Amino acid sequence: MGQDSGDDSQADYEDPKRPSTSPWQGGPLLDIQARKVTSILDSCNTGDLDTLVGLATSEFGLVEDDVRRIAWPILLGCDRTNVHHEDTCQDWRDLPRHKDEDQVKLDVNRSFIYYPENMSERELDRRKQELSELITEVLRRHPMLCYFQGYHDIVQVLLLVLGVEHSLPAVTHLSLLRIRDFMLPSLRPALLHLRLLPSIIYAVDPGLCKHLSGTEPFFALAATLTLYAHDIQEYGDIARLFDFLLAREAVVSVYLFAVIVLQRKEELLEIPDDEPEMLHSILSKLPKPLDIEALISKTMTVYTDYPPEKLPFRAWRQISSYSVLKTTRQPTQTASQTLADGAFYFRGQAASLQRTELREEALKILQKYRKPARALGLALFVGVISWWIRRNGGVYSFLVNALTMVWRARTGVDA
């Protein structure tokens, strides 16, 4: 992020009525926490993003919500000194409906279950209305984005911390630059994230990885898809964890789940490896309570010792260059990217997904109508079609239908 040395910028971040208590702890700040708040505000003032990332990662994170309201937008690249906002002159209510708005309504009705506590029914209804409007505005302004169940869990955390006025740019940047892989037309990229789990676990503990080898890593989907907001019930814990996740590379979320699995080794080894359903059931639920600080510390140790590029099974090579895992490979990259960058990566990955689906459909046709003498010819034809769509683009369904018709004409076989 570019440093702004103007007086206005300095005034923006200078002790904004610094509170003397941490809202979720309900008591005075410790001396070490108060000193850390000063260091965080200094980093925000000077634009020292590397130091801010380190402070958000280390013990106590960003300490309290008044500080998060300053630091989170900086980490997401939408702070007041480095704004890449879209043109929001047009009222979002006048924009066309997004195809996923009915699902948004259903999910928002299930929001704010665990926090804030002691809300009146009227206040709860107001918060749900704010959440619904925030999500709907993001989707209408960026109709390419596909809503996923659990998105509301993430957005409600940002809404509670940042407030209505400052949430829109933060949620927009988060959606396009940090969780973009989850908002594509297919969940395939999100599932590819999970394919890193066995590699991380194997790198640290091959024996445990072997024990879990019969269990697909889909047990981690709900947690990683929602940045753990769906599973963690304590507001202080999820706010602290967001300090870490927003500050670091997107891939650390997967490493975090791997560490949770590694710490449950003793429990998991008591379950026979030929009972994958039971293993899946246990692994899909986070243990309670979670020691967030210990988890973050251990995650950074594993991440440093076994970076993605050095993971076994060539797992990192399977990740698209357009994926958030690779476009946020350095912790400060998000802050320097624009919404246009996010849209570019989105389109690139969506096109790649379409090509992959075309190839898979073509191979299904090959297997369905296979004849030994002609299999090679069809395989070559599929390769040519794949090359053509990469070069020229095209309509997926049209090409699949064309491929099917050509095959029928060549073989005389009906579907």
Side-chain angles (χ1 to χ4, degrees):
M1 151 190 141
Q3 180 176 337
D4 187 335
S5 57
D7 291 340
D8 290 342
S9 173
Q10 292 287 336
D12 279 344
Y13 297 134
E14 217 165 49
D15 277 359
K17 298 182 179 179
R18 183 184 302 170
S20 60
T21 61
S22 178
W24 57 271
Q25 286 180 328
L29 293 178
L30 303 174
D31 287 344
I32 189 173
Q33 292 174 317
R35 290 194 298 271
K36 189 172 190 185
V37 166
T38 299
S39 298
I40 294 167
L41 294 176
D42 287 344
S43 297
C44 293
N45 277 329
T46 60
D48 188 349
L49 195 56
D50 290 326
T51 298
L52 181 59
V53 168
L55 290 166
T57 303
S58 60
E59 188 178 15
F60 305 122
L62 297 174
V63 184
E64 58 188 0
D65 284 354
D66 280 10
V67 179
R68 292 184 177 106
R69 279 189 277 277
I70 296 170
W72 281 10
I74 293 174
L75 293 171
L76 290 169
C78 57
D79 61 291
R80 286 163 285 178
T81 62
N82 185 32
V83 179
H84 304 301
H85 292 183
E86 62 208 304
D87 181 8
T88 56
C89 293
Q90 184 177 5
D91 192 319
W92 65 269
R93 296 172 183 83
D94 297 331
L95 297 172
R97 274 180 58 88
H98 190 277
K99 61 184 177 59
D100 296 328
E101 288 185 29
D102 289 339
Q103 186 61 53
V104 171
K105 183 177 180 180
L106 292 173
D107 286 354
V108 166
N109 285 336
R110 296 190 290 266
S111 60
F112 301 108
I113 300 298
Y114 302 115
Y115 48 79
E117 298 178 352
N118 303 319
M119 282 192 296
S120 67
E121 186 172 341
R122 181 177 179 180
E123 184 180 3
L124 178 60
D125 289 342
R126 177 180 61 81
R127 288 190 181 275
K128 287 182 178 181
Q129 182 66 25
E130 292 169 349
L131 179 61
S132 178
E133 291 182 356
L134 175 57
I135 293 174
T136 304
E137 180 170 2
V138 171
L139 293 177
R140 287 193 184 185
R141 293 195 185 280
H142 300 276
M144 71 174 72
L145 296 174
C146 299
Y147 177 84
F148 62 90
Q149 287 187 274
Y151 181 73
H152 71 292
D153 291 313
I154 299 174
V155 176
Q156 78 173 22
V157 177
L158 271 70
L159 180 60
L160 288 172
V161 171
L162 300 177
V164 176
E165 184 178 353
H166 301 295
S167 291
L168 178 63
V171 174
T172 304
H173 277 244
L174 182 78
S175 301
L176 279 164
L177 301 176
R178 291 303 302 265
I179 60 172
R180 180 180 62 249
D181 290 9
F182 307 153
M183 306 193 78
L184 286 154
S186 166
L187 271 181
R188 181 190 296 264
L191 299 179
L192 282 177
H193 288 206
L194 305 184
R195 294 297 180 188
L196 296 175
L197 270 175
S199 297
I200 300 169
I201 295 170
Y202 181 88
V204 180
D205 192 329
L208 179 58
C209 182
K210 181 180 179 181
H211 184 74
L212 299 176
S213 61
T215 306
E216 292 285 353
F218 304 144
F219 49 75
L221 183 60
T224 55
L225 196 66
T226 64
L227 302 184
Y228 299 85
H230 180 72
D231 296 281
I232 293 180
Q233 300 177 7
E234 297 295 329
Y235 176 73
D237 286 345
I238 194 59
R240 168 65 187 104
L241 188 58
F242 267 45
D243 293 342
F244 172 60
L245 295 177
L246 298 184
R248 303 301 313 194
E249 304 88 324
V251 74
V252 299
S253 177
V254 184
Y255 275 79
L256 176 66
F257 201 98
V259 167
I260 292 173
V261 174
L262 288 162
Q263 292 188 346
R264 305 179 75 178
K265 176 179 179 178
E266 187 174 326
E267 174 189 6
L268 294 170
L269 291 179
E270 291 178 355
I271 301 170
D273 58 8
D274 59 356
E275 295 190 21
E277 294 84 3
M278 184 175 294
L279 286 167
H280 177 94
S281 176
I282 291 176
L283 288 167
S284 62
K285 299 178 180 65
L286 296 185
K288 297 176 184 178
L290 284 174
D291 186 339
I292 300 295
E293 297 294 352
L295 281 174
I296 290 173
S297 177
K298 181 62 176 177
T299 296
M300 289 310 301
T301 298
V302 173
Y303 178 70
T304 302
D305 292 344
Y306 307 99
E309 293 82 1
K310 295 184 178 180
L311 291 175
F313 314 135
R314 301 164 64 91
W316 188 242
R317 294 190 180 186
Q318 299 177 36
I319 302 298
S320 167
S321 60
Y322 295 107
S323 168
V324 293
L325 299 189
K326 289 189 174 177
T327 61
T328 64
R329 188 60 190 85
Q330 299 300 320
T332 58
Q333 277 182 283
T334 299
S336 64
Q337 293 172 356
T338 67
L339 298 180
D341 293 329
F344 171 79
Y345 294 135
F346 185 100
R347 289 191 295 268
Q349 196 164 7
S352 178
L353 281 169
Q354 191 178 56
R355 291 193 296 268
T356 298
E357 290 171 353
L358 172 64
R359 286 193 295 270
E360 290 180 351
E361 188 66 26
L363 288 173
K364 288 179 182 178
I365 296 172
L366 169 63
Q367 292 175 357
K368 183 175 181 180
Y369 301 119
R370 177 178 298 173
K371 289 187 177 180
R374 293 169 177 160
L376 180 60
L378 182 57
L380 178 61
F381 183 60
V382 170
V384 171
I385 288 293
S386 298
W387 171 85
W388 186 90
I389 193 172
R390 281 198 304 271
R391 183 179 177 87
N392 299 293
V395 180
Y396 163 70
S397 59
F398 171 78
L399 287 174
V400 170
N401 291 336
L403 177 58
T404 304
M405 287 189 294
V406 169
W407 176 247
R408 290 174 180 170
R410 288 169 61 90
T411 63
V413 176
D414 292 328

